């Protein structure tokens, strides 16, 4: 039974308290104001039993995961008590006998078909028993027709309140379920695309591994031939580091397909690799950044995506500068990247494709999808806010329990 079914049981408990209060008030009005001679002990026993059961049910609802048979059992108790109360207060002449229809309607809206049929059968049986064995009304200050009409009016008002309360609560629960299903469908489509991308990336990685290794060897050979040219040697060394980094990335892409374990990365190594790829961007970070903290490789990819998008935004506006603030607080890893690009329109901040690219709109969206997947997998949070002055600030929060990896 899911959350909406639990909500149904909670609604039943609320309605049962309303029924208990209504029954008690009806007994008092019928015996006091209308002068009816009703059997007090059986009727008040029914009110007491219903209240006691509802107290027990309310305690169980908050600590269990019920099944449809449980909900049927709850309604069966209501049917039994209602049969008892109607039978002792007029039987078929009691206008409140139509409350059996309310129980059938509640079951039809929230229970599977077979359980709804069972509730309907129980209600028909209960109404028949109260009609056949019911105790006729005696005494009273009004004739039986007026009593029946006033009782029908009171029954209509009570039924309206019950249907209104239940239908609004059930509609809210159904809307929440639809929203959850929509989110799950969206997540499934995105994850399906990510899986296809990962499969393709692993295949391409195997094809690129050999030429990258060859290029690295050729770079070493050329560096030996240019030993007397320091400037050329420095450039070749930088080229070699870039090739080594590319090869490591390629091997990392192939690792999931080969069943390799995930390798931890440190914040410092992620920043060093990024600086090597984007040497023209000025990166300013907070002095107390936890550079030695080892994290899930997905966090490193997330940080690089944010830095690359900020760099693209800054270069697009002619301000190649990034401010990075990353720190650990209260068992959470907080990071924020501020760019100096053109910024964004606050009305468009939630639009797909704008969250990670305030300066360009021609990206493929791969970084966006992977970053969202990382945030969801690690139960974190991602946000985007306008910066003071030009640019935008993109930040994230991740629980350290989910992001830390043993190196």
């Amino acid at each position: 039974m899911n959350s909406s079914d639990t909500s149904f049981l909670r609604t039943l408990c609320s309605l049962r308290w309303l029924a208990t209060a209504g029954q008690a008030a009806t007994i008092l009005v019928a015996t006091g104001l209308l002068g009816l001679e009703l059997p007090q002990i059986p009727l008040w026993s029914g009110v007491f039993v219903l209240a006691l059961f509802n107290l027990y049910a309310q305690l169980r609802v908050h600590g269990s995961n019920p099944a449809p048979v449980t909900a049927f059992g709850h309604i069966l108790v209501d049917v039994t008590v209602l049969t008892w109360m109607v039978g002792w207060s007029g039987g078929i002449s009691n206008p409140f006998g139509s409350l059996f229809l309310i129980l059938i309607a509640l079951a039809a809206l929230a229970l599977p078909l077979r359980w709804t049929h069972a509730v309907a059968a129980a209600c028909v049986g209960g109404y028949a028993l109260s009609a056949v064995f019911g105790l006729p009304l005696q005494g009273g200050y009004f004739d039986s027709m007026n009593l029946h009409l006033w009782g029908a009016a009171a029954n209509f008002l009570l039924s309206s309140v019950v249907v209104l309360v239940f239908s609004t609560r059930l509609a809210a629960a159904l809307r929440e379920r639809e929203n959850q299903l929509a989110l799950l469908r969206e997540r499934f489509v995105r994850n399906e695309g990510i899986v296809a991308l990962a499969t393709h990336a692993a295949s391409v990685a195997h094809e690129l591994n050999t030429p990258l290794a060859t290029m690295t060897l050729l770079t070493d050979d050329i560096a030996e031939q240019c030993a007397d040219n320091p400037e050329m040697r420095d450039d070749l060394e930088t080229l070699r580091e870039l090739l080594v980094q590319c090869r490591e990335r390629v091997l990392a892409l192939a690792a999931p397909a080969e069943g390799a374990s995930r390798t931890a990365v440190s914040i410092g190594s992620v920043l060093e690799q990024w600086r090597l790829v984007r040497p023209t961007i000025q990166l300013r970070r907070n002095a107390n950044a936890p550079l030695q903290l080892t994290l899930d490789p997905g966090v490193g990819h997330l940080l690089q995506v944010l830095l690359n998008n900020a760099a693209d935004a800054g270069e697009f506006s002619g301000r190649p500068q990034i401010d990075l603030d990353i720190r650990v607080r209260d068992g959470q890893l907080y990071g924020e990247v501020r760019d100096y690009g053109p910024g964004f329109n606050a009305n468009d901040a939630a639009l797909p494709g704008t969250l990670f690219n305030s300066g360009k709109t021609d990206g493929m969206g791969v970084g966006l999808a992977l970053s969202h997947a990382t945030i969801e997998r690690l139960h974190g949070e991602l946000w985007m806010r306008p910066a003071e002055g030009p640019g935008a600030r993109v930040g994230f929060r991740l629980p350290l329990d989910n992001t830390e990896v043993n190196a």
Side-chain angles (χ1 to χ4, degrees):
M1 208 174 193
N2 52 35
S3 59
S4 63
D5 298 317
T6 303
S7 176
F8 170 63
L9 290 184
R10 292 172 180 168
T11 302
L12 276 182
C13 290
S14 300
L15 294 178
R16 199 173 290 119
W17 286 125
L18 178 63
T20 303
Q23 290 170 357
T26 301
I27 295 172
L28 294 175
V29 170
T31 56
L33 297 181
L34 303 181
L36 296 175
E37 298 176 3
L38 298 177
Q40 299 291 310
I41 294 179
L43 292 177
W44 284 111
S45 298
V47 174
F48 176 76
V49 168
L50 189 62
L52 192 63
F53 171 77
N54 201 39
L55 182 62
Y56 164 79
Q58 212 162 25
L59 295 176
R60 289 293 301 271
V61 165
H62 292 284
S64 64
N65 185 23
V69 65
T70 305
F72 172 75
H74 281 225
I75 297 181
L76 191 60
V77 171
D78 295 326
V79 171
T80 303
V81 173
L82 183 58
T83 302
W84 176 269
M85 300 296 289
V86 172
W88 283 102
S89 57
I92 196 170
S93 63
N94 190 330
F96 290 99
S98 61
L99 289 177
F100 286 105
L101 295 175
I102 298 295
L103 297 175
I104 296 175
L106 298 181
L109 290 172
L111 294 182
L113 183 60
R114 61 173 181 169
W115 294 109
T116 301
H117 289 165
V119 170
C123 288
V124 171
Y127 184 77
L129 287 174
S130 64
V132 173
F133 300 102
L135 184 68
L137 293 175
Q138 298 179 359
Y141 305 135
F142 304 93
D143 59 80
S144 58
M145 180 57 67
N146 285 332
L147 282 175
H148 187 81
L149 292 176
W150 282 107
N155 181 40
F156 172 77
L157 293 176
L158 179 61
S159 300
S160 300
V161 172
V162 170
V163 171
L164 178 64
V165 170
F166 178 79
S167 60
T168 52
R169 289 193 179 184
L170 182 61
L174 290 176
R175 284 194 297 269
E176 181 181 357
R177 177 192 285 185
E178 289 298 324
N179 292 334
Q180 291 177 352
L181 289 176
L183 291 175
L184 287 175
R185 283 193 294 266
E186 180 183 352
R187 186 178 303 173
F188 175 78
V189 171
R190 184 171 64 247
N191 291 344
E192 192 176 41
I194 292 175
V195 170
L197 177 63
T199 303
H200 179 68
S203 175
V204 173
H206 285 287
E207 298 177 5
L208 292 179
N209 186 36
T210 300
L212 285 174
T214 303
M215 293 170 65
T216 304
L217 293 175
L218 290 176
T219 303
D220 293 338
D221 292 340
I222 296 173
E224 292 179 0
Q225 297 174 12
C226 300
D228 55 346
N229 190 334
E231 184 177 352
M232 179 66 72
R233 189 172 61 251
D234 292 340
D235 292 341
L236 289 172
E237 183 63 28
T238 302
L239 178 60
R240 186 183 187 284
E241 292 178 1
L242 290 172
L243 289 172
V244 169
Q245 185 177 146
C246 289
R247 194 178 180 197
E248 291 177 353
R249 296 289 182 84
V250 165
L251 293 175
L253 286 175
E258 297 171 353
S261 60
R262 300 170 67 86
T263 304
V265 296
S266 67
I267 295 178
S269 64
V270 171
L271 296 181
E272 289 178 3
Q273 292 177 3
W274 184 83
R275 282 195 183 98
L276 187 62
V277 177
R278 308 296 290 265
T280 61
I281 306 299
Q282 181 183 358
L283 176 64
R284 298 186 303 187
R285 61 169 177 80
N286 55 312
N288 59 342
L291 301 180
Q292 303 302 321
L293 185 64
T294 56
L295 304 172
D296 185 286
V299 182
H301 178 268
L302 168 65
L303 184 57
Q304 290 202 353
V305 167
L306 298 182
L307 291 173
N308 282 328
N309 278 271
D312 293 339
E315 289 181 335
F316 181 80
S317 299
R319 292 183 290 267
Q321 180 179 330
I322 297 175
D323 295 340
L324 171 64
D325 185 273
I326 187 164
R327 62 186 70 243
V328 175
R329 185 172 68 249
D330 299 329
Q332 309 274 339
L333 176 65
Y334 289 86
E336 186 173 77
V337 178
R338 186 259 170 91
D339 65 64
Y340 289 84
F344 65 95
N345 187 334
N347 296 327
D348 298 334
L351 295 177
T354 61
L355 184 58
F356 292 123
N357 203 335
S358 60
K360 290 185 177 182
T361 57
D362 58 351
M364 295 172 56
V366 174
L368 172 63
L370 293 177
S371 299
H372 269 300
T374 299
I375 290 293
E376 290 181 356
R377 178 172 60 84
L378 300 177
H379 307 290
E381 182 184 4
L382 195 65
W383 63 85
M384 183 176 186
R385 304 188 181 102
E388 297 179 0
R393 297 181 296 134
V394 180
F396 63 88
R397 175 194 58 79
L398 293 170
L400 281 181
D401 293 339
N402 295 336
T403 59
E404 284 185 306
V405 176
N406 294 325

